[in-house]
Amino acid sequence: MENSLSYAQQQDAEDPLKSFREQFHIPKDIQGNSLIYLCGNSLGLQPKVTREYLQQELNDWAHHGVEGHTDAEHPWLPYHEFLTKNMAEIVGAKPSEVVIMNTLTTNLHLMMVSFYQPTKSKFKIVVESDAFPSDKYAVESQLKFHGFDPKEGLILWKPRKGEELCRFEDLETILKEQGDKIALLMIGSTNYYSGQHFPLKKITQLGHEHGCMVGFDLAHGAGNIQPDLHDTGADFAVWCTYKYLNSGPGSLGGCFVHERHAQNEHLNRFAGWWGHNKKTRFNMRHEFDALPGAEGWQLSNPPILSMAAIRASLDVFAEAGFKNLRAKSEKLTGYLEFLLDELNTNNINIITPRNKNERGCQLSIQVKNADKKLHTKLTEAGVISDWREPDVIRVAPAPLYNSFEDVFEFVQRLKEVL
Ligand SMILES: *Cc1c(COP(=O)(O)O)cnc(C)c1O
């Protein structure tokens, strides 16, 4: 690798996915210059085709009214099914294990209703520190709902003193010491703060050896790394589609239920009519008859406009091919890492793992003695990145629309600001 603009441009010229950048709206400053957008881990950019997919549904609603449920170009009744195959490929699951519904935190609660079934003695939940606040609130409120004190019931898998990343051995120790009291491991597959990606299969095996249920939050995993969900054996997983999956602010979430639970009648479930047998759903008089697989957890008829945006985005992903995206992502983030090392300053420290199998595209850069002013200056310099207190800039070059030149320019501007 070389620390030069010409090298970055050369990499872009040779990039087999280079044409995909053209398929996205890249935000611009008031002078009309493209910003360096490295915030796809927070809100992915808009594919240009999304507008057409939404327009199609608006037209069908205008022309058909309620008949659109069956007569729309893409009928609304089975609309979620049009998303399943592509979504299942991106998370490495069987189609019957995946459904798009609700939003992330809602799905997390629904999954805990089913997979957190504590007893008086086995009731604790393990989460990684520092978990995303919403996940922590959800887990704590589930503990309280079942009559437990979160102070006693919540176990944090923490980095050691002076370290930033969680060690698998320390999770093993937690389970060795308290496994008989732990009911659930609920881990963010790729930590939003450090960018650390955890070994999902090993965690699942460890949890299962101790009789615990295991679930993952893939908010920072889906569309970023390949989690191979089915193969991990995890009981459930949830994610959102507005970060790496480019489906628009507040868009719907995804949910995975392992096929061994497809017909499991021993699980509690909060039910709704969209989870009911499709053949008798509209008879409205039958007892609840759960659809087998993940679809059986649906509650409501879904917002088609949001699903149209997801369909548009998944079609772009399918066209690029997830393996190709991941290959580019490793190179692009590797280049970012190289350039940051070239800065050769003691002021910054990359806290994300150096091993590419333990991270996705995000690097979290800790800046010595910095405060939010640094982030403001970067923004003024035309870089859209993300700041996390107390001292971390998170940047995530997304292989669908970011270029090697973006990465090069970012490091130039960071250098000036530093
Ligand atoms: C983004 C994110 C969320 C957000 O949850 P919503 O219910 O979609 O608002 C939750 N958890 C994690 C780990 C996230 O990264």
Short mmCIF file of all heavy atoms in Angstrom, two decimals, residues 334-365:
data_model
loop_
_atom_site.label_atom_id
_atom_site.label_comp_id
_atom_site.label_asym_id
_atom_site.label_seq_id
_atom_site.Cartn_x
_atom_site.Cartn_y
_atom_site.Cartn_z
N GLY A 334 -8.59 -1.87 5.55
CA GLY A 334 -7.14 -2.12 5.69
C GLY A 334 -6.35 -0.89 5.24
O GLY A 334 -5.34 -0.53 5.86
N TYR A 335 -6.81 -0.24 4.18
CA TYR A 335 -6.13 0.95 3.68
C TYR A 335 -6.26 2.10 4.69
O TYR A 335 -5.29 2.82 4.97
CB TYR A 335 -6.69 1.34 2.32
CG TYR A 335 -5.90 2.43 1.62
CD1 TYR A 335 -4.51 2.33 1.48
CD2 TYR A 335 -6.52 3.57 1.11
CE1 TYR A 335 -3.78 3.34 0.86
CE2 TYR A 335 -5.79 4.56 0.48
CZ TYR A 335 -4.42 4.45 0.35
OH TYR A 335 -3.69 5.43 -0.26
N LEU A 336 -7.44 2.24 5.25
CA LEU A 336 -7.67 3.27 6.28
C LEU A 336 -6.71 3.05 7.47
O LEU A 336 -6.08 3.99 7.96
CB LEU A 336 -9.13 3.21 6.73
CG LEU A 336 -9.53 4.09 7.92
CD1 LEU A 336 -9.29 5.56 7.63
CD2 LEU A 336 -11.02 3.86 8.27
N GLU A 337 -6.60 1.80 7.87
CA GLU A 337 -5.72 1.45 9.00
C GLU A 337 -4.26 1.81 8.66
O GLU A 337 -3.55 2.42 9.47
CB GLU A 337 -5.87 -0.05 9.26
CG GLU A 337 -5.06 -0.59 10.41
CD GLU A 337 -5.26 -2.10 10.55
OE1 GLU A 337 -5.42 -2.80 9.52
OE2 GLU A 337 -5.26 -2.59 11.68
N PHE A 338 -3.85 1.44 7.44
CA PHE A 338 -2.49 1.73 6.99
C PHE A 338 -2.21 3.24 7.04
O PHE A 338 -1.19 3.68 7.56
CB PHE A 338 -2.31 1.18 5.57
CG PHE A 338 -1.11 1.71 4.83
CD1 PHE A 338 0.17 1.21 5.09
CD2 PHE A 338 -1.26 2.69 3.86
CE1 PHE A 338 1.27 1.70 4.41
CE2 PHE A 338 -0.16 3.19 3.16
CZ PHE A 338 1.11 2.69 3.44
N LEU A 339 -3.15 4.03 6.51
CA LEU A 339 -2.93 5.48 6.47
C LEU A 339 -2.90 6.10 7.86
O LEU A 339 -2.12 7.02 8.12
CB LEU A 339 -4.00 6.16 5.62
CG LEU A 339 -3.99 5.84 4.12
CD1 LEU A 339 -5.17 6.50 3.42
CD2 LEU A 339 -2.68 6.28 3.45
N LEU A 340 -3.73 5.58 8.75
CA LEU A 340 -3.73 6.10 10.12
C LEU A 340 -2.40 5.78 10.81
O LEU A 340 -1.83 6.61 11.51
CB LEU A 340 -4.89 5.53 10.92
CG LEU A 340 -6.29 6.04 10.51
CD1 LEU A 340 -7.38 5.23 11.20
CD2 LEU A 340 -6.45 7.52 10.86
N ASP A 341 -1.90 4.57 10.55
CA ASP A 341 -0.58 4.21 11.11
C ASP A 341 0.52 5.11 10.54
O ASP A 341 1.46 5.47 11.24
CB ASP A 341 -0.26 2.74 10.81
CG ASP A 341 -1.08 1.78 11.66
OD1 ASP A 341 -1.63 2.24 12.69
OD2 ASP A 341 -1.19 0.60 11.31
N GLU A 342 0.38 5.45 9.25
CA GLU A 342 1.36 6.33 8.61
C GLU A 342 1.41 7.71 9.25
O GLU A 342 2.41 8.41 9.14
CB GLU A 342 1.01 6.49 7.12
CG GLU A 342 1.30 5.28 6.27
CD GLU A 342 2.72 5.30 5.73
OE1 GLU A 342 3.06 6.22 5.00
OE2 GLU A 342 3.48 4.38 6.08
N LEU A 343 0.30 8.12 9.87
CA LEU A 343 0.29 9.43 10.53
C LEU A 343 1.37 9.48 11.60
O LEU A 343 1.87 10.54 11.96
CB LEU A 343 -1.06 9.71 11.17
CG LEU A 343 -2.21 10.14 10.27
CD1 LEU A 343 -3.46 10.35 11.10
CD2 LEU A 343 -1.85 11.43 9.54
N ASN A 344 1.65 8.29 12.14
CA ASN A 344 2.77 8.14 13.05
C ASN A 344 2.72 9.15 14.20
O ASN A 344 3.69 9.86 14.48
CB ASN A 344 4.08 8.30 12.23
CG ASN A 344 5.25 7.69 12.97
OD1 ASN A 344 5.04 6.96 13.95
ND2 ASN A 344 6.45 7.99 12.54
N THR A 345 1.57 9.24 14.82
CA THR A 345 1.42 10.16 15.94
C THR A 345 0.98 9.39 17.18
O THR A 345 0.24 8.42 17.07
CB THR A 345 0.38 11.26 15.62
OG1 THR A 345 -0.10 11.79 16.85
CG2 THR A 345 -0.81 10.72 14.85
N ASN A 346 1.45 9.82 18.32
CA ASN A 346 1.03 9.18 19.57
C ASN A 346 -0.33 9.66 20.03
O ASN A 346 -0.85 9.22 21.03
CB ASN A 346 2.04 9.45 20.68
CG ASN A 346 3.34 8.75 20.38
OD1 ASN A 346 3.35 7.67 19.79
ND2 ASN A 346 4.45 9.38 20.76
N ASN A 347 -0.89 10.63 19.26
CA ASN A 347 -2.17 11.20 19.67
C ASN A 347 -3.35 10.29 19.42
O ASN A 347 -4.41 10.49 19.98
CB ASN A 347 -2.43 12.51 18.90
CG ASN A 347 -1.71 13.66 19.56
OD1 ASN A 347 -1.35 13.56 20.73
ND2 ASN A 347 -1.48 14.71 18.81
N ILE A 348 -3.20 9.36 18.47
CA ILE A 348 -4.36 8.52 18.17
C ILE A 348 -4.05 7.04 18.39
O ILE A 348 -2.91 6.60 18.30
CB ILE A 348 -4.88 8.71 16.73
CG1 ILE A 348 -3.84 8.27 15.71
CG2 ILE A 348 -5.33 10.14 16.49
CD1 ILE A 348 -4.41 8.14 14.32
N ASN A 349 -5.12 6.33 18.69
CA ASN A 349 -5.00 4.91 18.98
C ASN A 349 -6.24 4.23 18.39
O ASN A 349 -7.36 4.61 18.71
CB ASN A 349 -4.96 4.75 20.51
CG ASN A 349 -5.03 3.31 20.94
OD1 ASN A 349 -4.57 2.42 20.22
ND2 ASN A 349 -5.65 3.07 22.10
N ILE A 350 -6.02 3.27 17.50
CA ILE A 350 -7.16 2.54 16.93
C ILE A 350 -7.57 1.47 17.94
O ILE A 350 -6.77 0.56 18.23
CB ILE A 350 -6.77 1.87 15.59
CG1 ILE A 350 -6.33 2.93 14.58
CG2 ILE A 350 -7.92 1.05 15.04
CD1 ILE A 350 -5.74 2.37 13.30
N ILE A 351 -8.77 1.58 18.49
CA ILE A 351 -9.16 0.57 19.50
C ILE A 351 -9.81 -0.67 18.88
O ILE A 351 -9.89 -1.70 19.51
CB ILE A 351 -10.07 1.17 20.61
CG1 ILE A 351 -11.38 1.70 20.04
CG2 ILE A 351 -9.35 2.25 21.39
CD1 ILE A 351 -12.31 2.22 21.14
N THR A 352 -10.22 -0.56 17.64
CA THR A 352 -10.81 -1.71 16.94
C THR A 352 -9.73 -2.78 16.73
O THR A 352 -8.57 -2.43 16.51
CB THR A 352 -11.36 -1.22 15.58
OG1 THR A 352 -12.21 -0.11 15.83
CG2 THR A 352 -12.13 -2.30 14.86
N PRO A 353 -10.10 -4.07 16.78
CA PRO A 353 -9.09 -5.12 16.58
C PRO A 353 -8.34 -4.96 15.25
O PRO A 353 -8.92 -4.54 14.24
CB PRO A 353 -9.91 -6.42 16.58
CG PRO A 353 -11.11 -6.10 17.39
CD PRO A 353 -11.41 -4.66 17.12
N ARG A 354 -7.06 -5.32 15.28
CA ARG A 354 -6.23 -5.25 14.07
C ARG A 354 -6.49 -6.44 13.14
O ARG A 354 -6.19 -6.38 11.95
CB ARG A 354 -4.74 -5.24 14.47
CG ARG A 354 -4.34 -3.98 15.25
CD ARG A 354 -4.36 -2.79 14.32
NE ARG A 354 -3.92 -1.56 14.97
CZ ARG A 354 -3.32 -0.57 14.31
NH1 ARG A 354 -3.07 -0.65 13.03
NH2 ARG A 354 -2.98 0.52 14.96
N ASN A 355 -7.01 -7.52 13.68
CA ASN A 355 -7.30 -8.71 12.89
C ASN A 355 -8.62 -8.52 12.13
O ASN A 355 -9.65 -8.25 12.74
CB ASN A 355 -7.39 -9.89 13.86
CG ASN A 355 -7.78 -11.18 13.16
OD1 ASN A 355 -8.19 -11.19 12.00
ND2 ASN A 355 -7.65 -12.28 13.87
N LYS A 356 -8.57 -8.66 10.80
CA LYS A 356 -9.78 -8.34 10.02
C LYS A 356 -10.95 -9.29 10.29
O LYS A 356 -12.10 -8.95 10.01
CB LYS A 356 -9.45 -8.26 8.53
CG LYS A 356 -8.99 -9.55 7.90
CD LYS A 356 -8.66 -9.30 6.43
CE LYS A 356 -7.93 -10.43 5.74
NZ LYS A 356 -8.29 -11.79 6.10
N ASN A 357 -10.68 -10.47 10.83
CA ASN A 357 -11.78 -11.37 11.18
C ASN A 357 -12.50 -10.95 12.45
O ASN A 357 -13.51 -11.53 12.82
CB ASN A 357 -11.28 -12.81 11.33
CG ASN A 357 -10.71 -13.32 10.03
OD1 ASN A 357 -11.24 -13.02 8.96
ND2 ASN A 357 -9.61 -14.05 10.12
N GLU A 358 -11.91 -10.01 13.16
CA GLU A 358 -12.52 -9.55 14.41
C GLU A 358 -13.09 -8.14 14.28
O GLU A 358 -13.27 -7.44 15.26
CB GLU A 358 -11.48 -9.57 15.54
CG GLU A 358 -11.03 -10.97 15.92
CD GLU A 358 -9.89 -10.93 16.93
OE1 GLU A 358 -9.88 -10.03 17.79
OE2 GLU A 358 -9.01 -11.79 16.83
N ARG A 359 -13.35 -7.73 13.03
CA ARG A 359 -13.95 -6.41 12.85
C ARG A 359 -14.70 -6.39 11.52
O ARG A 359 -14.50 -7.26 10.66
CB ARG A 359 -12.86 -5.33 12.85
CG ARG A 359 -11.97 -5.39 11.62
CD ARG A 359 -10.85 -4.37 11.68
NE ARG A 359 -10.12 -4.34 10.42
CZ ARG A 359 -8.87 -3.93 10.30
NH1 ARG A 359 -8.20 -3.52 11.36
NH2 ARG A 359 -8.28 -3.91 9.12
N GLY A 360 -15.58 -5.38 11.39
CA GLY A 360 -16.21 -5.13 10.10
C GLY A 360 -15.51 -3.97 9.45
O GLY A 360 -14.27 -3.88 9.51
N CYS A 361 -16.26 -3.03 8.87
CA CYS A 361 -15.57 -1.94 8.16
C CYS A 361 -15.22 -0.78 9.09
O CYS A 361 -14.38 0.04 8.75
CB CYS A 361 -16.39 -1.47 6.97
SG CYS A 361 -17.91 -0.65 7.38
N GLN A 362 -15.82 -0.74 10.26
CA GLN A 362 -15.61 0.42 11.15
C GLN A 362 -14.26 0.38 11.87
O GLN A 362 -13.82 -0.65 12.34
CB GLN A 362 -16.72 0.43 12.21
CG GLN A 362 -16.52 1.45 13.31
CD GLN A 362 -17.63 1.36 14.36
OE1 GLN A 362 -18.77 1.08 14.05
NE2 GLN A 362 -17.30 1.61 15.61
N LEU A 363 -13.61 1.55 11.94
CA LEU A 363 -12.49 1.72 12.88
C LEU A 363 -12.88 2.80 13.89
O LEU A 363 -13.41 3.85 13.52
CB LEU A 363 -11.20 2.13 12.15
CG LEU A 363 -10.56 1.10 11.22
CD1 LEU A 363 -9.23 1.64 10.67
CD2 LEU A 363 -10.34 -0.26 11.90
N SER A 364 -12.61 2.51 15.15
CA SER A 364 -12.87 3.48 16.22
C SER A 364 -11.53 4.06 16.64
O SER A 364 -10.64 3.33 17.05
CB SER A 364 -13.54 2.79 17.41
OG SER A 364 -14.73 2.16 16.99
N ILE A 365 -11.42 5.38 16.47
CA ILE A 365 -10.13 6.04 16.69
C ILE A 365 -10.22 6.87 17.96
O ILE A 365 -10.99 7.83 18.04
CB ILE A 365 -9.81 6.98 15.49
CG1 ILE A 365 -9.93 6.21 14.16
CG2 ILE A 365 -8.43 7.59 15.64
CD1 ILE A 365 -10.01 7.13 12.95
#
